[in-house]
């Protein structure tokens, strides 16, 4: 089988005859149509993403996928070409650089640490501490590898939140100048795919919220339900607080 590839003026590959999907909608498309990581990857093979511009640059995007079986993948588009890392070991992603380069830099950091005499993880191991995407990726990889086996679902969620908070960009962090700046982390989420429970916390609030997805009507044609998480009184299970909302598109 062969595919005809064209190139547009922004340098992005265009696959002749393949339907386009606007880049801001691809996550919703996968959520609506795929039940597993494998199904999502198959769907991406049937279409091509149409990029949008931000500050004069064509946006390149990536996404981390995981399903209830534990299967994982990181998908990114570089110059319009899809790059897929599909393996249960690919569970961490930050904004940049391209994923292959991110993994190379992580291996380099491990090599440097070992040259300093640290063969095993410990409190003396030096970790990158800045707010750029590379440092945050390496901190997340380090602490994720050290997580103990959780005793229950509650501890599992707390463990993931602990790593995510450690890799977040705090208030007052130095902004990086350039095409895209480094901004404060606005919110953090944890998806419990086994129990179908979604956890959410705003960086501007000390309250952790969650919703029980099995309490919602997710059948085709069911109303869209939303909740404004800004309310200071909101904490814990907020499933009952959702209300009908206009469809976003």
């Amino acid at each position: 089988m062969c595919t005809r590839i064209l190139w547009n003026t922004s340098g992005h590959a265009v696959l002749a005859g393949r339907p386009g999907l606007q880049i801001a909608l691809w996550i919703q498309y996968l959520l609506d149509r795929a039940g597993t990581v494998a199904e999502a990857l198959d769907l991406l093979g049937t279409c091509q993403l149409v990029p949008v511009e931000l500050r004069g640059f064509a946006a390149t995007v990536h996404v981390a996928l995981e399903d209830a079986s534990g299967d994982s993948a990181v998908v990114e588009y570089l110059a319009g070409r899809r790059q897929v890392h599909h393996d249960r070991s690919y569970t961490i992603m930050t904004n940049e650089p391209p994923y292959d380069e991110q993994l190379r830099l992580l291996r380099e950091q491990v090599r440097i640490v070992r040259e300093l005499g640290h063969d095993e993880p410990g409190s003396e191991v030096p970790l990158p501490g800045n707010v750029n995407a590379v440092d945050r990726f390496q901190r997340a990889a380090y602490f994720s590898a050290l997580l103990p086996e959780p005793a229950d679902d509650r501890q599992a969620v707390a463990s993931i939140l602990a790593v995510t908070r450690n890799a977040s960009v705090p208030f007052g962090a130095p902004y990086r100048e350039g095409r895209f700046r480094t901004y404060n982390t606005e919110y953090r989420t944890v998806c419990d795919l086994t129990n179908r429970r979604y956890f959410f916390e705003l960086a501007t609030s000390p309250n952790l919220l969650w919703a029980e997805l099995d309490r919602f009507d997710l059948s085709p044609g069911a109303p869209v339900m939303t909740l404004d998480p800004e309310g200071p009184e909101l904490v814990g299970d907020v499933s009952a607080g959702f209300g009908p909302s206009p469809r976003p598109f």
Side-chain angles (χ1 to χ4, degrees):
M1 185 184 82
C2 65
T3 302
R4 183 184 177 202
I5 299 179
L6 309 175
W7 296 88
N8 63 18
T9 55
S10 64
H12 284 256
V14 177
L15 303 176
R18 184 170 295 184
L21 178 63
Q22 208 270 1
I23 211 166
L25 299 177
W26 73 312
I27 303 301
Q28 189 64 56
Y29 175 71
L30 297 181
L31 289 172
D32 288 345
R33 300 287 301 276
T36 66
V37 170
E39 289 178 4
L41 295 178
D42 287 342
L43 279 174
L44 289 176
T46 65
C47 62
Q48 59 185 317
L49 293 192
V50 179
V52 295
E53 286 197 356
L54 178 64
R55 299 180 185 174
F57 295 91
T60 55
V61 294
H62 57 187
V63 63
L65 304 172
E66 187 157 343
D67 60 34
S69 75
D71 193 14
S72 300
V74 171
V75 183
E76 60 187 352
Y77 284 80
L78 304 173
R81 292 181 178 272
R82 180 162 52 108
Q83 305 290 331
V84 178
H85 295 79
H86 185 190
D87 187 294
R88 289 185 180 223
S89 63
Y90 299 119
T91 58
I92 296 171
M93 184 183 76
T94 55
N95 296 352
E96 56 184 352
Y99 206 69
D100 280 332
E101 176 66 6
Q102 190 76 276
L103 295 176
R104 186 194 68 78
L105 292 171
L106 179 61
R107 291 192 297 269
E108 178 66 12
Q109 173 67 13
V110 171
R111 182 189 65 78
I112 292 172
V113 167
R114 287 177 175 169
E115 286 183 353
L116 293 174
H118 303 288
D119 292 327
E120 298 292 335
S123 59
E124 301 302 317
V125 173
L127 286 178
N130 219 310
V131 296
N132 63 71
V134 172
D135 283 18
R136 291 188 289 113
F137 182 96
Q138 294 183 7
R139 288 203 305 279
Y142 176 82
F143 287 113
S144 293
L146 294 179
L147 286 177
E149 187 70 23
D152 50 33
D153 298 332
R154 184 167 178 253
Q155 191 178 96
V157 172
S159 297
I160 297 301
L161 279 171
V163 174
T164 305
R165 289 163 179 158
N166 185 280
S168 297
V169 180
F171 297 120
Y175 283 1
R176 185 199 67 183
E177 299 295 336
R179 286 193 302 170
F180 307 109
R181 303 172 74 184
T182 300
Y183 292 102
N184 300 331
T185 296
E186 295 184 5
Y187 61 88
R188 291 172 285 265
T189 66
V190 174
C191 300
D192 181 347
L193 297 174
T194 301
N195 299 298
R196 297 167 61 83
R197 193 172 288 129
Y198 186 81
F199 295 83
F200 179 92
E201 67 174 5
L202 283 170
T204 54
S205 171
N207 299 351
L208 179 65
L209 319 178
W210 65 83
E212 304 283 349
L213 299 184
D214 285 335
R215 294 179 59 182
F216 293 88
D217 181 1
L218 302 179
S219 61
V224 174
M225 305 289 284
T226 62
L227 172 71
D228 183 353
E230 291 281 358
E233 76 286 354
L234 295 176
V235 64
D237 184 359
V238 295
S239 306
F242 282 72
S245 178
R247 294 183 179 275
F249 44 79

